[in-house]
Amino acid sequence: MLSLKGIVKKYEIGQFKQTALDGIDLEFRDQEFVCILGPSGSGKTTLLNMIGGLDRYDQGDLLINGKSTRNFKDQEWDSYRNHAIGFVFQNYNLITHISVLSNVEIGMTLSGLNSEERRKRALQVLERVGLIDHINKKPNQLSGGQMQRVAIARALANNPEIILADEPTGAIDSETSKQIMELIQEIAKDKLVIMVTHDENIAKKYANRIVSLKDGKVIADTNPYKNNLIGSAKLMFEKTSMAFTQAIKLSFNNLKTKKFRTLITAFAGSIGIIGVALVLSLANGLNREIDRLERTTLAEFPIQIDPFPIDIEAARGGPPGFQDNGDSEWERFPEILKIFPYERTVSTTQHINLINDEYLDYLSTMDTRLYHEISVTRQVEMSVLHKIDSTPIRLQTGRVRFEPSLNNDEFFNDNYDILMGTAPKNKNELILLVDEFNRLNVQVLSALGLSSDVEAYDFDTFIGKTFKVVLLSDNYVLDENTNRFVQVSDLHTLYDNPNNIELTIVGIARAKEDALSRFLRPGIKYHPDLIQSYLADAKTSEIGIAQKNSNTSVITGLPLSDSARTSLLRNLGVDDTPSQIRIYPVNFDAKEEIRVFLDAFNHGKAESERIIYTDLASIVTELTGDIIDGIAYVLIAFSAISLIVSSIMIGIITYVSVLERTKEIGILRSLGARKRDISRVFNAETSIIGFVAGSIGVFIAFLLTFPINRLIRTVVEDLNNLAVLPIEAVFLLVFISILLTYISSLIPASLAARKDPVEALRID
Ligand code: ADP
Ligand code: MG
């Protein structure tokens, strides 16, 4: 069945070549007991390993049933070892961390036998070698003779046709040796047994053929055999493979023998997981808290509709007027004393809500149970006149952003540079604010009667420009027919009215490069005192008193909190469009319904006709949520570093484990395990550690949330159980832990797989 033809094997040790086998020609019968006899170093072990497919020959050929093995692939050798060969070694080579029974079963698991069949066969062979009473012991609880019987049982278990034994009695006392030899002799009755020994007595007593070896050559053969079977007999062994469950079982048993180290490793690996889990718990809790805040405290915060709705994206990006697309063409903070006209591109044009009667009618159809109140604020703009080519016209104050500048001079000076002239010091002085590129919107320019075709305007064009504020009492006359106040239409007379407050642009300003706040939008800003003068008149004017109990009105720029002024202005009943609507929802769910209702209005409407509302509460919570998420990401990134460090550590520990289990690798290979099965064992081992690390991590994080929550409660009283680890995070983190340790084991596992089985077995 086996035939060796001119086998040569050389070992290279540095420059020197050691010839271990030097042209071996041998053939074996299907059933015989052959002893390979020879002094130490004569090549016996090398020959046996060659026959068993553990080692590769350099020249010649090994024929199995007449089939050449010259072109055998790893996989074929693995199957050959598993199915056709049973190895018995001098030093037993049992896996120490699993039971006697498991040791005998392990070769069969590689050939894919089911557990019932494995157990049946293992018990059979253990019975045969007389160890049926010791099946649950670990190998180190047995005597040398018993251990060798286990090894023989293991060699027999898969019912191979060939048993290879390398000095099986070398480490056993003579009395026990006798029993072992009798057992082997018994086995040789129906198998080919090739046994290596240096003991001539043993060879003579038990073998029916003695092959003597010297310096890698056959020097004698007591019973030679020549069949010369050369053909192409098909040699089909089933492929071997280790099931992942088997790899897990092996690794689990191995880890059990070093519980402490495993636990320490897993604990170290869990630290990053703990960090990430705690950050997730806190972020989860804070977001939940904000959500709750929005549902409860902030639920009755009004939804507001303003002429210029707050653009949430712009609010995130910076102050208004500072995030136009295409700004890159402009020079920022130029030194030149000129103003540039520019036209905003459509995409950045701020939306203007045109609140009209249609919208008010629409609002009146809303379910009244959803809101406490809808407050509509109407405003009267100050009437400001100026002359373009000596013709007085009303200034479109909304377009030029004719608004109050800051009350606080110091704050203004800190944040704005006066590029020319001075800041407004009294009610008669105005300042022109340009953007960071010295630009003014063409709308502003055209309202001031300036063409936008000019490339740039000198600052002088604006300094000294005058305007007149017409007092409320002069601007309106009572229409006898309708009994309502209407605006005076003769602008020449109105312009020359001596009561008017005259205003002059005294300076040009721009936000500083490092300004903390740039919330003033470019345009014309007036001194806050102007309002006082304007109101002093309005308070006593006929129109103010006459229109008591009419519509709510507010004058631009008034602080709404000032109740005295507010009540005064309520009396000003000038028919005008609403400038601001506030809807106060009864609760959070009602607010959601109101939003749906308001959205429905915009359906199918052109962009410019839509009414965009602002839910300040949701903006606040969204922004806060974003901030919390941002902080969480940073913290998670920090924890991730410790995750990586622990992964590297686990990789190193796995490598240590590979070194420790080198012998086991050799044993598994001799039993027919593939390289891939070996790496699988180590991947399984780290996966177990990863699982334990992940589980410990989330468990400790869970335990830590209790003291953390107690601590938070002492600081903020009504924050109960803030940190809660979401259940999805538990699974995710355990998975991540397994994945990371798996990745970290890839290198050591592949090193293990590449170990030479012969070398591995030589380790003691
Ligand atoms: P035996 O089993 O008969 O004592 P071996 O087969 O173990 O002999 O060794 C035969 C020769 O090959 C010896 O000279 C030994 O030193 C050499 N040899 C065996 N294995 C190796 C190896 N891995 N590297 C180098 N030399 C080796
Ligand atoms: Mg030897």
Side-chain angles (χ1 to χ4, degrees):
M1 92 156 305
L2 275 184
S3 154
L4 287 71
K5 301 236 175 281
I7 293 278
V8 174
K9 174 73 183 177
K10 292 189 174 115
Y11 289 108
E12 258 174 77
I13 311 152
Q15 311 275 46
F16 180 71
K17 273 202 171 177
Q18 167 77 44
T19 306
L21 297 176
D22 192 7
I24 302 281
D25 285 296
L26 269 179
E27 246 183 86
F28 298 101
R29 297 176 182 83
D30 285 359
Q31 275 128 38
E32 61 177 336
F33 189 173
V34 186
C35 263
I36 312 278
L37 186 66
S40 177
S42 56
K44 305 184 293 294
T45 300
T46 308
L47 179 62
L48 210 62
N49 288 341
M50 210 64 64
I51 294 170
L54 265 184
D55 213 346
R56 303 280 175 276
Y57 47 84
D58 297 330
Q59 287 170 39
D61 198 359
L62 168 70
L63 300 153
I64 305 167
N65 289 334
K67 181 173 166 68
S68 165
T69 57
R70 254 188 240 234
N71 298 319
F72 257 33
K73 295 189 195 70
D74 281 353
Q75 168 110 105
E76 289 168 291
W77 283 118
D78 295 337
S79 315
Y80 167 66
R81 278 200 305 282
N82 184 255
H83 295 277
I85 304 286
F87 274 105
V88 178
F89 304 94
Q90 177 175 356
N91 51 2
Y92 329 123
N93 282 342
L94 299 174
I95 298 175
T96 50
H97 58 79
I98 57 177
S99 70
V100 164
L101 184 65
S102 299
N103 263 290
V104 175
E105 280 188 33
I106 197 149
M108 292 185 280
T109 66
L110 293 167
S111 32
L113 287 179
N114 65 42
S115 60
E116 230 171 284
E117 182 70 17
R118 286 202 307 256
R119 201 180 160 82
K120 202 180 97 193
R121 285 212 212 165
L123 291 175
Q124 256 170 22
V125 287
L126 281 164
E127 172 97 65
R128 186 167 170 193
V129 301
L131 283 178
I132 197 71
D133 298 331
H134 305 277
I135 57 170
N136 292 319
K137 289 188 179 165
K138 293 277 169 67
N140 56 11
Q141 293 167 308
L142 302 177
S143 70
Q146 286 172 320
M147 281 197 271
Q148 197 57 293
R149 284 166 194 271
V150 176
I152 292 169
R154 180 181 61 187
L156 291 173
N158 230 1
N159 199 22
E161 290 166 63
I162 305 162
I163 299 287
L164 302 176
D166 193 351
E167 313 222 20
T169 57
I172 300 169
D173 62 86
S174 54
E175 183 52 34
T176 320
S177 288
K178 204 173 149 238
Q179 295 169 10
I180 296 287
M181 283 315 302
E182 276 161 10
L183 182 60
I184 294 176
Q185 195 175 33
E186 151 91 20
I187 290 163
K189 280 182 187 157
D190 56 356
K191 285 191 194 304
L192 167 60
V193 173
I194 305 173
M195 190 184 96
V196 160
T197 182
H198 62 272
D199 187 332
E200 198 175 346
N201 292 330
I202 287 187
K204 279 191 175 148
K205 187 167 177 198
Y206 298 100
N208 35 47
R209 178 179 175 191
I210 299 172
V211 176
S212 299
L213 228 56
K214 191 165 185 274
D215 298 334
K217 287 194 179 74
V218 176
I219 51 164
D221 187 343
T222 60
N223 189 6
Y225 174 65
K226 218 117 207 94
N227 181 29
N228 264 335
L229 175 70
I230 301 176
S232 53
K234 261 211 174 157
L235 196 66
M236 287 292 277
F237 299 118
E238 275 170 59
K239 286 182 185 170
T240 58
S241 102
M242 187 188 287
F244 196 69
T245 48
Q246 182 61 28
I248 291 275
K249 193 178 153 199
L250 257 185
S251 299
F252 186 70
N253 279 313
N254 177 49
L255 289 175
K256 269 205 313 205
T257 65
K258 37 186 184 184
K259 291 193 193 81
F260 186 69
R261 184 210 290 181
T262 305
L263 225 63
I264 291 284
T265 311
F267 180 71
S270 73
I271 288 171
I273 296 288
I274 295 174
V276 176
L278 283 181
V279 174
L280 286 178
S281 305
L282 278 171
N284 173 42
L286 283 173
N287 278 322
R288 207 169 21 108
E289 197 54 34
I290 288 166
D291 209 51
R292 197 184 60 79
L293 204 67
E294 187 180 3
R295 294 186 154 272
T296 55
T297 318
L298 296 179
E300 295 176 40
F301 227 69
I303 290 178
Q304 54 191 73
I305 298 145
D306 298 301
F308 299 99
I310 295 171
D311 181 349
I312 178 67
E313 290 311 320
R316 282 178 215 212
F322 282 82
Q323 55 275 318
D324 287 34
N325 299 330
D327 275 352
S328 50
E329 310 157 21
W330 300 85
E331 188 195 346
R332 295 184 82 226
F333 302 99
E335 303 249 319
I336 189 170
L337 302 183
K338 280 184 188 298
I339 288 179
F340 304 98
Y342 85 107
E343 185 136 33
R344 279 175 156 234
T345 50
V346 179
S347 65
T348 57
T349 304
Q350 193 177 16
H351 182 84
I352 298 174
N353 280 331
L354 299 168
I355 305 168
N356 52 20
D357 288 342
E358 184 201 350
Y359 195 65
L360 293 176
D361 289 345
Y362 180 72
L363 284 187
S364 67
T365 63
M366 185 161 59
D367 186 345
T368 54
R369 283 167 302 184
L370 295 177
Y371 57 88
H372 293 304
E373 192 193 337
I374 297 181
S375 95
V376 178
T377 308
R378 294 162 193 278
Q379 74 180 30
V380 177
E381 292 186 350
M382 268 188 237
S383 189
V384 181
L385 301 184
H386 71 138
K387 276 186 170 166
I388 297 175
D389 300 331
S390 52
T391 312
I393 61 163
R394 284 188 204 274
L395 183 72
Q396 290 172 287
T397 52
R399 281 197 158 187
V400 300
R401 301 200 171 127
F402 189 85
E403 295 160 342
S405 78
L406 297 168
N407 272 314
N408 187 329
D409 289 343
E410 198 182 327
F411 195 73
F412 186 83
N413 291 334
D414 281 352
N415 291 289
Y416 291 88
D417 276 328
I418 309 289
L419 302 177
M420 183 177 258
T422 58
K425 288 180 294 296
N426 57 50
K427 66 174 180 179
N428 298 103
E429 296 187 342
L430 300 171
I431 194 157
L432 179 67
L433 199 63
V434 293
D435 73 5
E436 58 179 333
F437 307 98
N438 276 25
R439 299 182 311 192
L440 270 185
N441 197 321
V442 294
Q443 284 199 339
V444 176
L445 290 172
S446 85
L448 294 174
L450 296 171
S451 156
S452 52
D453 291 337
V454 179
E455 200 194 322
Y457 285 102
D458 287 334
F459 279 4
D460 295 336
T461 318
F462 302 90
I463 301 278
K465 239 184 185 320
T466 58
F467 302 86
K468 289 190 174 175
V469 175
V470 184
L471 295 180
L472 196 63
S473 47
D474 294 329
N475 195 29
Y476 289 90
V477 288
L478 193 65
D479 180 338
E480 304 289 341
N481 299 327
T482 60
N483 201 30
R484 293 198 79 123
F485 285 91
V486 293
Q487 285 199 62
V488 174
S489 53
D490 179 4
L491 296 186
H492 279 284
T493 320
L494 209 53
Y495 190 87
D496 294 330
N497 190 323
N499 294 337
N500 291 349
I501 307 170
E502 188 166 322
L503 306 170
T504 309
I505 295 180
V506 297
I508 295 176
R510 183 177 67 198
K512 286 184 177 171
E513 204 163 350
D514 58 352
L516 290 174
S517 166
R518 294 168 177 167
F519 52 79
L520 290 180
R521 297 180 298 178
I524 296 174
K525 310 290 145 187
Y526 55 78
H527 195 273
D529 283 355
L530 179 62
I531 296 176
Q532 308 305 326
S533 303
Y534 190 74
L535 285 178
D537 164 72
K539 233 183 266 188
T540 54
S541 75
E542 198 184 337
I543 167 174
I545 297 156
Q547 292 291 315
K548 271 185 188 164
N549 308 322
S550 75
N551 293 332
T552 318
S553 301
V554 170
I555 288 177
T556 311
L558 275 184
L560 282 171
S561 57
D562 191 331
S563 58
R565 276 180 206 152
T566 312
S567 71
L568 161 77
L569 293 164
R570 273 172 202 242
N571 300 334
L572 298 173
V574 179
D575 205 27
D576 208 341
T577 53
S579 68
Q580 190 185 57
I581 299 172
R582 278 164 196 258
I583 304 167
Y584 295 86
V586 292
N587 57 35
F588 183 77
D589 293 330
K591 181 191 268 186
E592 294 296 293
E593 277 190 59
I594 292 171
R595 290 176 66 136
V596 171
F597 180 83
L598 296 180
D599 286 338
F601 178 82
N602 292 333
H603 265 293
K605 286 214 164 51
E607 181 72 37
S608 60
E609 283 171 28
R610 292 188 189 158
I611 303 290
I612 297 176
Y613 59 84
T614 309
D615 181 2
L616 217 53
S618 82
I619 290 177
V620 169
T621 52
E622 258 177 55
L623 279 177
T624 323
D626 283 357
I627 292 167
I628 291 170
D629 288 345
I631 295 172
Y633 288 137
V634 172
L635 293 177
I636 285 174
F638 277 116
S639 314
I641 293 172
S642 65
L643 266 182
I644 290 167
V645 170
S646 59
S647 301
I648 292 171
M649 183 198 69
I650 287 171
I652 294 168
I653 289 174
T654 309
Y655 183 64
V656 171
S657 178
V658 169
L659 295 181
E660 285 177 347
R661 295 174 78 181
T662 302
K663 185 64 162 272
E664 186 180 335
I665 295 170
I667 296 168
L668 289 171
R669 293 303 305 276
S670 77
L671 289 169
R674 300 167 302 166
K675 290 180 178 173
R676 204 189 300 174
D677 298 324
I678 301 299
S679 53
R680 194 170 273 184
V681 169
F682 291 95
N683 289 333
E685 178 167 316
T686 43
S687 297
I688 293 170
I689 294 177
F691 176 77
V692 176
S695 306
I696 292 177
V698 291
F699 184 65
I700 291 181
F702 169 73
L703 292 182
L704 283 176
T705 56
F706 293 102
I708 286 175
N709 282 335
R710 200 166 313 146
L711 195 75
I712 290 171
R713 202 165 46 226
T714 59
V715 182
V716 189
E717 237 175 64
D718 41 315
L719 278 186
N720 273 321
N721 291 328
L722 184 73
V724 175
L725 185 61
I727 188 76
E728 315 88 67
V730 171
F731 291 110
L732 185 74
L733 288 173
V734 173
F735 174 76
I736 287 176
S737 178
I738 294 174
L739 187 73
L740 283 179
T741 50
Y742 178 83
I743 291 172
S744 68
S745 78
L746 287 179
I747 293 174
S750 90
L751 288 177
R754 268 181 277 164
K755 272 195 188 299
D756 177 7
V758 179
E759 300 274 336
L761 282 170
R762 198 169 291 151
I763 304 284
D764 264 315

